[in-house]
Structure formats: structure tokens, C-alpha cells
Amino acid sequence: MAERSTLPPPDYDHLPIGGLESRVRALTAGEVEELLAYERDHAHRPQVTELLAARLEQLRSGAEPTSGDRDAVRPEEAGRPSAGSPVSPATSPQPHS
């Protein structure tokens, strides 16, 4: 059984389903099998399990992994809002009475 730190996509447990869906397309059948086993043993999220099982079936039916970089910057990590409000007294409107 794979450890979380060695799973093919980095931060696997923290990826939203949309991010995971695009990343599993670059994995081999063996890597998808590894993720599926990990998912079933740990979180067993039905939507993720269905996604992985469907991709594994595609690969077994002759589909090829895509050439994407599964370690590239993640769109779900880009542009995270900083803590706190961007509103300040200088940018706030004047109160109306």
C-alpha cells in the first residue's frame, strides 16, 4: 500500500475533484490502481472512486496517458486570497445617515 507522500499526484488528498480529474489523465494504469487502492482504504469518497475506476477502465481499454505535467503549478493553488479584507478605511465609502 502506498503512503500518502508517495502517491503520484502531489497533495492527492487536498486536490478538488476537478483538479484530480485533469491530473489522473497523465497517470499510467498502475498509478491509477495505486490511487484507487489508497482511496478505498482511506477516504473512500464515492465520486473520486468512480472517477478513478472509470479512468482505469479507459486505460485498460487502450487509452494512453496524456502528456501533461502532473507536477506543474496547480490552478487551484494560484491566486488564493490572502487572509483579511482588502477593504481599509482609505477605500471604504463614507457612512450615510
Side-chain angles (χ1 to χ4, degrees):
M1 175 59 50
E3 293 296 318
R4 178 174 43 172
S5 63
T6 64
L7 292 174
D11 297 329
Y12 168 77
D13 288 334
H14 303 289
L15 290 173
I17 188 114
L20 181 61
E21 185 173 12
S22 65
R23 261 178 225 94
V24 298
R25 295 194 172 282
L27 302 178
T28 65
E31 291 170 324
V32 175
E33 286 173 346
E34 182 179 0
L35 284 179
L36 190 54
Y38 178 85
E39 184 66 31
R40 288 179 173 152
D41 287 346
H42 292 87
H44 200 58
R45 299 169 288 181
Q47 201 174 16
V48 174
T49 303
E50 289 174 17
L51 169 75
L52 295 172
R55 183 58 182 159
L56 184 57
E57 183 60 34
Q58 291 170 350
L59 291 165
R60 289 178 175 164
S61 296
E64 293 290 326
T66 61
S67 60
D69 180 4
R70 63 184 178 203
D71 297 326
V73 174
R74 317 269 182 260
E76 61 273 4
E77 292 176 358
R80 286 186 177 168
S82 61
S85 173
V87 178
S88 72
T91 61
S92 296
Q94 295 297 318
H96 297 290
S97 34

